[in-house]
Amino acid sequence: MLVVGALLLGCQENDIRFADGRAGRFDQWQGRWVLINYWAEWCAPCRKEIPELNELHHERASSGIVVIGVNYDGLQGDPLTKLIDEMNIEFPVLAEDPRQRWQQPSPPVLPTTLLIDPAGELADVLVGPQTLVSLREAVAEHQAAQL
């Protein structure tokens, strides 16, 4: 019984995997805004948006905003980590698409960014390329609406 309980508890511990092999829990970001950005190598607007996302990622300590990437093409392992390096992506990238958590269809347009509120609920879907300013404004708008 204890072994089964420990195995079940272990399964509950990690519900996300990162491209670099780490595992974690989505609720580690509870209380923070999370931007989940869908990108692809062949998407020119995605490539233009990545530096903006990198900058927001580096501000996470002061802004409280977490930036997470998802490769639209579903790459895994070495091909994904090599592409992350080639594209100079500095924010964490998930190895698996988490959109089912919010019953979201596959993004019809890239880039697409899911805006997740501090309670872990989907607050908005931002379609098309974003800038550092537009991302900050989207979070601020939803923060104000929650007050």
Side-chain angles (χ1 to χ4, degrees):
M1 267 310 217
L2 289 174
V3 172
V4 171
L7 288 173
L8 289 175
L9 183 59
C11 291
Q12 293 174 353
E13 287 180 16
N14 297 316
D15 62 354
I16 56 174
R17 284 187 322 109
F18 295 93
D20 65 6
R22 292 179 301 123
R25 292 203 45 79
F26 193 83
D27 63 8
Q28 70 191 19
W29 299 304
Q30 185 110 23
R32 300 178 78 184
W33 288 89
V34 179
L35 300 176
I36 301 175
N37 178 263
Y38 289 83
W39 58 272
E41 176 181 23
W42 45 264
C43 169
C46 298
R47 287 178 171 274
K48 185 175 179 185
E49 184 183 54
I50 286 170
E52 305 281 322
L53 294 165
N54 285 341
E55 188 171 341
L56 190 58
H57 167 68
H58 290 294
E59 294 176 357
R60 69 191 175 281
S62 61
S63 71
I65 299 170
V66 176
V67 178
I68 304 294
V70 176
N71 176 259
Y72 181 79
D73 295 321
L75 295 177
Q76 298 279 318
D78 285 341
L80 177 57
T81 56
K82 286 178 183 174
L83 185 57
I84 290 167
D85 287 342
E86 288 172 16
M87 294 181 66
N88 297 315
I89 295 174
E90 298 169 1
F91 47 89
V93 173
L94 295 176
E96 298 168 346
D97 188 342
R99 66 186 163 81
Q100 296 301 327
R101 179 183 297 267
W102 301 281
Q103 293 83 43
Q104 287 298 297
S106 182
V109 173
L110 288 182
T112 291
T113 303
L114 304 182
L115 178 59
I116 310 302
D117 73 15
E121 301 297 323
L122 179 67
D124 204 350
V125 178
L126 309 173
V127 178
Q130 302 296 313
T131 64
L132 185 59
V133 170
S134 70
L135 292 167
R136 286 181 184 146
E137 287 175 351
V139 170
E141 180 182 306
H142 286 283
Q143 283 176 321
Q146 290 183 341
L147 298 178

